[in-house]
Amino acid sequence: YNTKLHTSNCIRSIVENTKGVTYEIILVDNASTDGSQDLFRNDNRIKFVENNENLGFGKANNIGYKYAIGKYIFLLNSDTILLNNALKHFYDFAECSVNNIVCLGSLLLDKNNQIMHSFGCFPTISNILLHLLSVYTSRLNLNLEFNETRYIRERPFEVDYVTGADLFIRREIIEIYGFFDPVFFLYYEETDLQYRYSKARCKMLVIDGPMIYHIDGGSSHKQKKVSAKQMIYITDGRFKYIRKHYNLFSYFFFIIIYFLLRLIPVAINNYSVSEKIRFLSFLIKD
């Protein structure tokens, strides 16, 4: 969505680096307004799918999946660059793996070649609230944040979920257990997907070999200011995830504590007054 230049560079990196494996590129555009349609509509290297509105990450991938014919499905963000024959690395590993290894990912790199957010633990009420508490405890030099570097081991290693920026999936698992839940617009859809797969005793791994640069991460996603709009999307995804996987009592407990923990950070954040009102209104409404 509105990433014409990034998307063009991403496609170029796929074509230039991918060898020894048959593949197709399916590009789904979520009603971009930056001229993406004019650029990609007649690109014979890809299958170009145009949506009439911005459907979000999960729904757009569900549509793209209908056009795919491959044995494996590789989800790749438009703001990524393949630095090597990453697709072949994923394919070779999957072909030699047992069938319950269904999702693969890599350690994504930022512009400084530093490892950035690439995987994580499944969200729970406790770890989300601990994350929110870290805003307060950090002032006491108590770090409650999830630090994925602590979990990085010699690859391959098992994880709860791989981020959707580079997610390599066996098609047969999608055919059995489905793809993205359309209730999610942005954030937590790939987490929900892999949580459902894990309930079927499937495994997700981060492997060695693929090298992928993720532009969106910058030097560190923790150093970037999260916009009010993005925070609403993140919160919406969290609420939908908890509502789906917990009982009603736990859900209401969660949103009440969540609201209380977010009041002060939102109040002192350098968002505009209208952005603060918009975010708090979303919390109250939800």
Side-chain angles (χ1 to χ4, degrees):
Y1 175 72
N2 286 342
T3 56
K4 179 174 67 173
L5 180 59
H6 287 333
T7 303
S8 181
N9 290 334
C10 177
I11 293 172
R12 183 183 303 112
S13 75
I14 296 171
V15 174
E16 291 179 352
N17 287 289
T18 304
K19 298 173 177 62
V21 60
T22 301
Y23 68 95
E24 59 183 350
I25 301 175
I26 301 169
L27 175 61
V28 182
D29 184 84
N30 264 332
S32 294
T33 57
D34 64 347
S36 290
Q37 294 96 334
D38 293 335
L39 179 63
F40 299 115
R41 191 173 287 137
N42 298 314
D43 190 334
N44 58 17
R45 300 172 301 174
I46 66 176
K47 294 180 181 178
F48 187 55
V49 182
E50 299 181 57
N51 292 332
N52 295 323
E53 59 180 309
N54 186 353
L55 298 176
F57 181 81
K59 285 184 181 179
N61 276 298
N62 287 346
I63 291 172
Y65 176 69
K66 296 177 181 179
Y67 293 84
I69 61 174
K71 181 179 180 181
Y72 300 98
I73 305 299
F74 183 37
L75 307 182
L76 188 65
N77 271 22
S78 60
D79 61 341
T80 56
I81 298 290
L82 301 192
L83 302 176
N84 66 358
N85 197 356
L87 195 56
K88 185 67 160 58
H89 284 292
F90 282 126
Y91 175 81
D92 287 346
F93 189 95
E95 285 290 281
C96 297
S97 300
V98 294
N99 287 339
N100 73 325
I101 296 176
V102 299
C103 294
L104 304 176
S106 68
L107 293 178
L108 296 166
L109 303 173
D110 66 14
K111 63 182 180 181
N112 298 315
N113 285 325
Q114 298 297 307
I115 295 171
M116 56 175 296
H117 178 51
S118 306
F119 63 91
C121 296
F122 289 132
T124 63
I125 288 177
S126 60
N127 66 26
I128 292 176
L129 295 181
L130 282 174
H131 167 72
L132 298 182
L133 275 171
S134 67
V135 174
Y136 304 92
T137 60
S138 60
R139 299 177 182 273
L140 304 174
N141 293 320
L142 296 175
N143 185 10
L144 300 180
E145 286 275 18
F146 170 76
N147 184 355
E148 67 186 46
T149 58
R150 299 176 185 174
Y151 295 84
I152 295 175
R153 303 179 295 279
E154 182 178 352
R155 288 169 283 179
F157 59 90
E158 188 174 351
V159 297
D160 278 357
Y161 72 89
V162 174
T163 61
D166 71 322
L167 182 56
F168 192 91
I169 313 174
R170 289 186 187 275
R171 185 190 190 99
E172 61 186 288
I173 197 69
I174 300 174
E175 295 294 322
I176 297 172
Y177 296 105
F179 212 19
F180 291 108
D181 185 340
V183 72
F184 295 92
F185 180 78
L186 193 63
Y187 297 106
Y188 288 85
E189 58 274 88
E190 80 270 39
T191 314
D192 170 74
L193 177 78
Q194 292 168 80
Y195 182 75
R196 287 188 279 116
Y197 292 170
S198 74
K199 290 301 183 182
R201 300 184 182 277
C202 296
K203 295 182 178 181
M204 282 56 72
L205 301 182
V206 169
I207 69 170
D208 193 19
M211 296 180 63
I212 301 174
Y213 166 42
H214 191 195
I215 298 168
D216 179 64
S219 58
S220 171
H221 70 288
K222 292 181 181 179
Q223 295 173 2
K224 290 174 29 176
K225 176 189 173 182
V226 178
S227 69
K229 182 178 181 180
Q230 185 179 5
M231 182 54 66
I232 289 175
Y233 285 145
I234 293 171
T235 304
D236 181 60
R238 283 174 176 164
F239 283 8
K240 287 175 177 175
Y241 184 91
I242 296 299
R243 180 67 189 94
K244 180 174 180 178
H245 298 291
Y246 285 85
N247 62 46
L248 196 59
F249 174 81
S250 298
Y251 172 69
F252 282 123
F253 166 81
F254 171 74
I255 60 175
I256 291 170
I257 302 302
Y258 192 101
F259 176 79
L260 294 174
L261 289 174
R262 290 301 297 163
L263 275 177
I264 294 177
V266 170
I268 64 176
N269 199 293
N270 58 354
Y271 294 148
S272 67
V273 174
S274 62
E275 286 178 321
K276 291 177 182 180
I277 293 174
R278 181 183 177 190
F279 179 66
L280 292 175
S281 298
F282 167 80
L283 287 179
I284 295 170
K285 179 182 177 182
D286 208 79

